[in-house]
Amino acid sequence: MPLSRSEITYIQSRVHLLELVETRTIDNSQPPTAYSDGGRYTKLTDEARAIADFIAELKFYNLSTDAILTRQGYAHKNQLKESLIRIASHVSLELLTSMMMNGAYVYRAVYQHRVVGIAMVSPLREDLPVTASIDRPPSRTTVPELPDPEDLQQVADYSFSSQKYSDFRNQLKGCLNRHRQYNGVGRLWEMSAIGVVEDIRGRDVRKTLIRHAVARIPLGDRIMVQVEPGRESMFREVGFYHAMTRDNRFETIKIMPEWARYGNALEFSMMTLRKGHPAVKLEENLGGSSGKGKNVPAR
């Protein structure tokens, strides 16, 4: 039986004071800026850890995770699942905490007291630092033994390619920096960590989370998001369109995984939305269907 709107609760979290996070429930019967409670407060460390753990588990099967795995890590991914999720949570915790301290908003969908979806939007106040490229040969095709799952450093060395991770992050940062520099009027925001648990998919929860995040940013500001392959149409439905380079090409991130056999790179689209742009129609009440954004240059 399809879920009704009343069965899903959406909550917004943001840093209120240096070490406290304010969490408020969004009133779905009102415009997206209305709340149904006065807010509650939790420690930033506790909130960030819970969010990092949820994101790490959600992203386990994403192609962006596969892109940074070594050959042996990709081959034994399911056998090392719990360890890989713990490593991913640990790696993202520091970044997530920094983003929340710098003004990020986190939106979560809750069903029967369980978090089932998430979306995050954060302002880009300055250029992101691009790290030096790591030049090292690909990992060996085969390894005699699996690492000890309890030794997370051993699992990380075995499963993750530092060179591919650096390449992915540098391409993403470079794209965001370019668009921040020629964004024109308004601030640039990054949308990230978008996902919904498998048993709740197909019920517009992801779209609702995105709409809540878009509703938060001021008119004239712009959002960019790195999109997993095959999900571009869903973002178009809520008003996003392909970001364009200065020479009028689609902005993409391209990664050739270590395990790819036939020379086919994984390609991730960068999409954008300017709040209040004529090509974008976002309804005030989240119960209706949204207008579709046209594929116009993101300038």
Side-chain angles (χ1 to χ4, degrees):
M1 180 180 295
L3 296 177
S4 68
R5 290 177 59 204
S6 61
E7 292 180 279
I8 301 288
T9 301
Y10 295 91
I11 60 175
Q12 171 194 282
S13 298
R14 68 178 182 93
V15 171
H16 178 68
L17 296 171
L18 190 60
E19 298 295 334
L20 289 178
V21 173
E22 178 191 55
T23 299
R24 303 181 71 181
T25 303
I26 299 170
D27 187 348
N28 279 336
S29 66
Q30 300 294 326
T33 52
Y35 304 96
S36 60
D37 63 11
R40 61 181 180 83
Y41 297 90
T42 55
K43 291 182 179 179
L44 174 59
T45 51
D46 295 340
E47 194 77 359
R49 169 59 69 188
I51 294 170
D53 288 346
F54 182 72
I55 291 172
E57 188 161 2
L58 267 186
K59 293 181 67 176
F60 181 73
Y61 289 107
N62 281 3
L63 286 177
S64 52
T65 298
D66 289 347
I68 62 173
L69 292 177
T70 61
R71 290 187 177 96
Q72 60 267 17
Y74 183 74
H76 299 104
K77 180 178 177 180
N78 288 323
Q79 291 171 266
L80 298 170
K81 178 178 178 179
E82 295 304 319
S83 300
L84 294 176
I85 288 174
R86 288 167 62 193
I87 293 168
S89 176
H90 177 75
V91 168
S92 66
L93 180 60
E94 183 178 354
L95 176 61
L96 177 63
T97 302
S98 175
M99 292 169 73
M100 293 187 72
M101 289 287 292
N102 284 307
Y105 290 84
V106 180
Y107 293 88
R108 279 170 285 182
V110 179
Y111 174 61
Q112 295 184 345
H113 306 290
R114 177 175 68 113
V115 177
V116 295
I118 194 165
M120 183 171 176
V121 62
S122 53
L124 299 178
R125 305 181 191 278
E126 57 187 18
D127 281 357
L128 301 169
V130 177
T131 59
S133 298
I134 300 173
D135 186 16
R136 76 180 198 185
S139 304
R140 291 174 292 172
T141 303
T142 58
V143 172
E145 297 178 358
L146 285 171
D148 178 1
E150 296 302 315
D151 188 334
L152 297 187
Q153 185 59 57
Q154 192 179 97
V155 174
D157 292 341
Y158 179 87
S159 302
F160 291 107
S161 167
S162 298
Q163 186 269 328
K164 296 299 178 184
Y165 177 75
S166 176
D167 189 9
F168 195 105
R169 292 293 302 167
N170 282 345
Q171 286 190 57
L172 175 61
K173 290 177 180 179
C175 176
L176 292 170
N177 288 345
R178 287 192 300 274
H179 285 262
R180 195 189 75 83
Q181 291 161 6
Y182 66 76
N183 185 45
V185 178
R187 177 184 293 169
L188 182 64
W189 298 66
E190 179 190 8
M191 184 178 287
S192 57
I194 307 156
V196 175
V197 297
E198 188 172 359
D199 61 314
I200 217 80
R201 291 174 188 169
R203 292 163 175 164
D204 285 341
V205 174
R206 193 191 308 261
K207 292 179 187 177
T208 304
L209 285 164
I210 292 171
R211 289 175 183 140
H212 281 308
V214 171
R216 167 49 47 193
I217 72 167
L219 286 172
D221 282 10
R222 190 150 57 87
I223 302 177
M224 291 195 72
V225 59
Q226 169 246 308
V227 180
E228 295 287 317
R231 294 182 180 167
E232 294 88 350
S233 61
M234 188 273 295
F235 280 89
R236 291 192 195 98
E237 289 177 14
V238 292
F240 282 80
Y241 46 87
H242 281 283
M244 308 298 286
T245 64
R246 284 185 178 272
D247 55 357
N248 219 34
R249 294 179 298 171
F250 287 166
E251 286 274 19
T252 59
I253 296 172
K254 294 181 180 180
I255 295 291
M256 179 66 70
E258 286 188 9
W259 44 264
R261 296 182 177 180
Y262 304 108
N264 294 320
L266 295 177
E267 188 166 334
F268 303 85
S269 298
M270 295 297 297
M271 300 187 75
T272 189
L273 174 153
R274 186 183 293 278
K275 184 77 172 288
H277 191 283
V280 177
K281 179 182 178 183
L282 290 173
E283 67 286 330
E284 286 298 310
N285 191 308
L286 295 177
S289 59
S290 69
K292 296 184 180 181
K294 298 177 182 177
N295 192 20
V296 297
R299 295 295 174 88

